[in-house]
Amino acid sequence: MKTVKISLNSIDKVKSFVNEITKFDYDFDLVSGRYVIDAKSIMGIFSLDLSKPIDLNIHADNAADVDTILKVLTPYICE
């Protein structure tokens, strides 16, 4: 599992983020405080506080797949 901080501070960013990660067959969780949301759920994402960065947990075992996912998610990563 890999964890990165992402920023989803606009409606368009949320929509494009969900479109990108639904292309992968892995599980993704967004963690904000005590809440854990399925990152493929657009309604779940909008229930979070999007004004600050959120932790994204990527549940992929293959390092090459993680690298591919991180390249696709580069516009959202804030580190």
Side-chain angles (χ1 to χ4, degrees), residues 10-75:
S10 72
I11 293 171
D12 291 333
K13 259 189 162 180
V14 172
K15 288 196 288 190
S16 61
F17 171 79
V18 171
N19 286 337
E20 292 294 340
I21 66 164
T22 52
K23 297 174 185 171
F24 297 102
D25 286 336
Y26 295 107
D27 288 331
F28 299 86
D29 295 326
L30 287 172
V31 181
S32 178
R34 61 188 178 134
Y35 300 104
V36 179
I37 303 292
D38 179 3
K40 294 182 180 182
S41 165
I42 200 161
M43 292 301 290
I45 293 172
F46 283 122
S47 72
L48 298 174
D49 177 8
L50 301 177
S51 65
K52 54 187 180 240
I54 305 167
D55 288 332
L56 173 68
N57 294 336
I58 303 167
H59 299 278
D61 300 327
N62 185 338
D65 288 345
V66 171
D67 289 340
T68 303
I69 292 167
L70 290 177
K71 280 185 187 127
V72 169
L73 297 181
T74 300

Side-chain angles (χ1 to χ4, degrees), residues 1-16:
M1 183 179 83
K2 172 105 174 126
T3 302
V4 293
K5 283 231 184 267
I6 61 166
S7 175
L8 299 173
N9 53 9
S10 72
I11 293 171
D12 291 333
K13 259 189 162 180
V14 172
K15 288 196 288 190
S16 61

